[in-house]
Amino acid sequence: PVDPDAMFKQGFLDEVYKLRPSENVVTRFPPEPNGYLHIGHAKAIAVNFGFARHHGGVCYLRYDDTNPEKEEEKYFTAILDMVEWLGFKPYKITHSSDNFQKLYDLAEKLIGMGKAYVCACQDEEIKRQRGGEKGETPRYRCAHADQSVEENLTKFRDMRDGKYKPREVFLRMKQDISDGNPQMWDLAAYRIKTDTPHHKTGFDWKIYPTYDFTHGVCDSFEGITHSLCTTEFIASRVSYEWLNKNLGVYEPMQREYGRLNLTGTVLSKRKILKLVEEKHVRDWDDPRLYTLIGIRRRGIPPGAILEFVNELGVTTNITTIPIHRFEQSIRKYLEKTVPRLMMVLDPVPLVIEDAEELELDVPFSPKDPKMGSHKVRFTPTVYIDRSDFREVDSKDYFRLAPGKSVGLLHAPYPVKATSFTKDESTGKVTEIRGVFDKELKKAKTYIQWVGTAGSRKVEARIHNPLFNSEKPDDVEGGFLKDLNPDSEVVYPDAVIESGFDEVKARAPWPEAAGESELGKGGPESIRFQGLRVAYFAVDSDTTDDKIVLNRIVSLKEDSNK
Ligand code: ATP
Ligand code: MG
Ligand code: MG
């Protein structure tokens, strides 16, 4: 088994710790509540919560909610759900907005120090101040930068009191425009926003702090020791440090790791919204999406995601992984953790004329006796998969055909087909008849079957990649032109053996890996391997009358089952 803490013991994250060894590590996961989390965020969660846990510290869940136009209440709950689903418990749940007053006071303090000013310049002018489009002209400051402290304070309070319209003025930090880093070129600290109520403070505030003003200061308030973020913030490290230093507050250390990206899918909120609105997928939690709610619904265990992130390790490089590699990792995890059952996707009855009803004792796993066993009723009529029968035999074919025998997993003898009937209008085989082939000691192939007693009918949904290419965004006409028409194949009449009830009663699977409390109660935690078919989990569309299953992953790469 993979050491769940391996990624903290060496490499980048170990270096980060050594730069600031702390007895009381404090980290934070700071999502903006403006959308559902995706697979990339699982890495951020694993890194921040995991780093704290490994060093015996704590991690905050901080909603970075300074942008009322984009944020919605439903995302707050969804984000916390995912953190808990991955097995982490926030030390405290905080909001950047909890600090609006303190942030405001610090902004006044900065103004008082002559380190911030209220500016009325508009975009074009600001661009020129920053050296033009390509930095072709010298940088300079506008006259607003020379306003007195009193003037800036008056104007800032007027901003607060709604005496300006949005975009008319904004508060800028007075940093160092001679520095080569654009993050030092007098960044915005506060902007006026009056149109949308904030989910916590309503219309109390007419001004909102920017990311650059908020993030480091909130880190400081919470006593964050190691502020871990992604590499697009490398350039921001100087402004992060500049602000806390100038304010004279506690200084956390920011370090940056590489994002996790998946190819063969889209993660951007705008694009997923389009897929949902145009009904290419069922919803934001569609199992074909790589939102965390989609991944959960599909049945991928949280432990498998953590193991995947851990295996990739953490460096400053952006990790770009094709979907099939992600699936390979999930498959490996399921292989050792979930029970096996027999199910048939496209059933056709096989009547074995000389068979009698039998009770068989079948292990849930051929390799792991701890999983135990269960009773399976063998009946004289069993369902087998249509794809395991051929009307005309051939030499290189080793499953069932007239005159040919095939093994039935766990059954007493192989079966030889003697005849079959066909519906002439559809051309489909409706029944196969056969007898036990008692002479044959060992069949070349063993197929799965489901008896008529105790078995259940289920709807099985087989998910294939949503897109045809590795880079849907690069396809001419955009990602919507790259949709795979066969991304969901439904088998409405699949059947599953009675052992399903026990697997259901014993969920969540895996029972191992200390995951037994995780995802308790969720239908997706009822997971199993359908022998010779695929890995499956129960879908949330399941009702008392109807079981719906999702394929988690195929048994092998490139298999279409
Ligand atoms: P997106 O636009 O994809 O939602 P974001 O950067 O806006 O991403 P936030 O809500 O700000 O997302 O994310 C919270 C944390 O998760 C941030 O620290 C961010 O760096 C991290 N994060 C976001 N995407 C990834 C990713 N693909 N890999 C690793 N960490 C990520
Ligand atoms: Mg985001
Ligand atoms: Mg963001």
Side-chain angles (χ1 to χ4, degrees):
V2 179
D3 171 1
D5 271 8
M7 68 179 176
F8 305 107
K9 289 183 179 161
Q10 75 249 325
F12 173 77
L13 291 171
D14 186 48
E15 295 301 313
V16 169
Y17 182 75
K18 285 179 180 152
L19 282 170
R20 188 187 273 215
S22 315
E23 283 213 7
N24 302 303
V25 165
V26 185
T27 59
R28 85 285 168 270
F29 171 60
E32 188 180 351
N34 64 351
Y36 293 105
L37 301 181
H38 52 66
I39 180 74
H41 292 110
K43 178 173 181 179
I45 293 171
V47 165
N48 285 296
F49 281 93
F51 186 84
R53 182 151 83 187
H54 178 69
H55 294 292
V58 296
C59 181
Y60 284 82
L61 168 59
R62 184 198 313 145
Y63 296 111
D64 193 16
D65 57 347
T66 58
N67 213 348
E69 291 111 340
K70 292 192 186 161
E71 294 153 12
E72 279 181 58
E73 200 60 48
K74 64 176 178 195
Y75 298 129
F76 286 78
T77 353
I79 288 171
L80 175 60
D81 260 12
M82 287 302 111
V83 169
E84 290 177 341
W85 178 63
L86 286 169
F88 297 107
K89 194 167 165 31
Y91 166 62
K92 276 182 187 158
I93 298 171
T94 57
H95 304 76
S96 297
S97 62
D98 299 338
N99 301 312
F100 276 168
Q101 187 59 48
K102 277 161 94 180
L103 286 159
Y104 177 85
D105 295 342
L106 286 178
E108 284 209 354
K109 178 174 174 184
L110 204 62
I111 294 170
M113 296 163 65
K115 295 276 182 191
Y117 56 99
V118 174
C119 178
C121 296
Q122 299 301 308
D123 292 352
E124 282 309 303
E125 168 57 21
I126 295 165
K127 212 177 270 168
R128 279 193 292 276
Q129 290 166 18
R130 301 175 130 240
E133 203 73 68
K134 298 188 186 70
E136 65 279 9
T137 50
R139 293 190 287 277
Y140 64 93
R141 278 196 171 115
C142 56
H144 306 106
D146 300 325
Q147 287 159 181
S148 68
V149 165
E150 289 66 39
E151 200 176 344
N152 281 318
L153 265 181
T154 307
K155 288 184 170 176
F156 187 50
R157 287 172 186 165
D158 285 348
M159 277 174 71
R160 176 196 61 190
D161 298 338
K163 295 191 183 154
Y164 291 104
K165 288 193 285 297
R167 310 191 68 83
E168 208 177 333
V169 291
F170 68 114
L171 184 73
R172 289 177 88 167
M173 296 182 258
K174 196 170 184 179
Q175 298 167 287
D176 179 5
I177 62 164
S178 71
D179 194 300
N181 184 338
Q183 281 293 114
M184 290 300 281
W185 302 347
D186 292 7
L187 297 179
Y190 266 87
R191 293 186 197 284
I192 300 169
K193 296 181 189 192
T194 53
D195 301 343
T196 322
H198 187 276
H199 73 104
K200 287 197 87 127
T201 58
F203 286 109
D204 291 356
W205 291 91
K206 297 178 175 65
I207 55 173
Y208 289 91
T210 59
Y211 176 89
D212 292 308
F213 188 77
T214 310
H215 198 80
V217 175
C218 288
D219 279 354
S220 175
F221 291 154
E222 290 173 359
I224 303 300
T225 51
H226 304 78
S227 178
L228 305 169
C229 59
T230 39
T231 50
E232 67 276 20
F233 294 102
I234 288 180
S236 304
R237 198 200 288 174
V238 284
S239 48
Y240 180 103
E241 291 174 354
W242 178 90
L243 186 57
N244 282 332
K245 187 173 268 48
N246 277 283
L247 291 171
V249 295
Y250 164 77
E251 293 181 57
M253 180 181 83
Q254 175 185 304
R255 283 298 180 274
E256 311 81 12
Y257 62 90
R259 281 186 172 241
L260 165 62
N261 288 335
L262 278 192
T263 56
T265 188
V266 297
L267 295 179
S268 121
K269 288 180 266 291
R270 191 174 48 78
K271 291 175 190 158
I272 296 177
L273 182 65
K274 194 112 190 137
L275 293 169
V276 173
E277 282 177 347
E278 294 189 5
K279 300 200 180 339
H280 299 297
V281 294
R282 290 171 185 272
D283 205 343
W284 284 82
D285 65 351
D286 188 285
R288 289 163 292 183
L289 295 174
Y290 286 84
T291 52
L292 287 178
I293 49 174
I295 286 177
R296 174 174 68 177
R297 178 171 177 183
R298 176 169 157 189
I300 293 177
I305 298 173
L306 296 177
E307 196 165 294
F308 169 69
V309 170
N310 197 12
E311 263 171 20
L312 295 176
V314 179
T315 68
T316 53
N317 295 330
I318 295 175
T319 317
T320 303
I321 304 294
I323 281 174
H324 68 84
R325 212 182 131 197
F326 173 70
E327 291 189 339
Q328 184 51 31
S329 174
I330 304 308
R331 195 175 283 127
K332 232 174 57 201
Y333 186 89
L334 292 169
E335 160 82 34
K336 57 187 192 220
T337 52
V338 301
R340 293 168 198 213
L341 293 174
M342 291 198 285
M343 76 182 281
V344 172
L345 285 183
D346 187 6
V348 57
L350 165 64
V351 182
I352 308 162
E353 283 161 357
D354 52 348
E356 276 168 28
E357 195 160 326
L358 275 175
E359 192 172 71
L360 306 170
D361 189 56
V362 177
F364 275 122
S365 160
K367 286 178 198 150
D368 184 359
K370 281 199 303 297
M371 281 195 199
S373 65
H374 64 294
K375 303 278 182 251
V376 176
R377 292 205 81 72
F378 178 82
T379 49
T381 297
V382 295
Y383 296 107
I384 65 166
D385 202 277
R386 191 173 298 283
S387 65
D388 286 328
F389 177 73
R390 265 196 201 173
E391 296 172 36
V392 183
D393 188 23
S394 71
K395 257 210 160 106
D396 54 355
Y397 179 72
F398 300 113
R399 284 166 289 161
L400 197 61
K404 181 161 266 176
S405 298
V406 75
L408 296 179
L409 284 162
H410 313 295
Y413 307 103
V415 173
K416 179 187 280 185
T418 48
S419 66
F420 64 91
T421 47
K422 208 167 143 172
D423 179 337
E424 290 308 332
S425 64
T426 60
K428 279 188 153 187
V429 173
T430 48
E431 186 186 87
I432 307 161
R433 299 188 81 85
V435 289
F436 276 144
D437 186 349
K438 297 188 179 172
E439 248 82 284
L440 185 62
K441 284 281 166 297
K442 190 157 171 35
K444 280 225 160 66
T445 304
Y446 282 80
I447 63 172
Q448 84 282 14
W449 51 272
V450 171
T452 49
S455 64
R456 305 272 221 109
K457 203 179 129 180
V458 297
E459 173 180 317
R461 296 177 183 165
I462 304 290
H463 307 290
N464 295 306
L466 191 53
F467 298 100
N468 293 316
S469 70
E470 270 303 292
K471 293 186 177 164
D473 285 321
D474 293 357
V475 168
E476 208 183 308
F479 69 104
L480 290 172
K481 290 272 177 297
D482 192 37
L483 284 164
N484 170 10
D486 298 319
S487 63
E488 185 186 86
V489 180
V490 177
Y491 289 86
D493 302 311
V495 286
I496 190 160
E497 56 145 294
S498 56
F500 175 77
D501 293 331
E502 198 174 326
V503 167
K504 184 175 165 189
R506 275 171 61 181
W509 293 89
E511 296 182 318
E515 266 193 57
S516 49
E517 289 308 310
L518 289 186
K520 206 153 197 133
E524 73 286 342
S525 69
I526 305 164
R527 307 179 173 97
F528 62 91
Q529 181 194 116
L531 280 164
R532 294 185 69 242
V533 186
Y535 292 99
F536 286 92
V538 174
D539 185 74
S540 51
D541 282 347
T542 296
T543 60
D544 287 344
D545 306 322
K546 186 179 174 192
I547 299 168
V548 181
L549 301 176
N550 289 315
R551 183 175 79 172
I552 311 173
V553 281
S554 58
L555 294 181
K556 292 200 186 86
E557 204 176 319
D558 295 330
S559 133
N560 53 14
K561 262 194 187 165

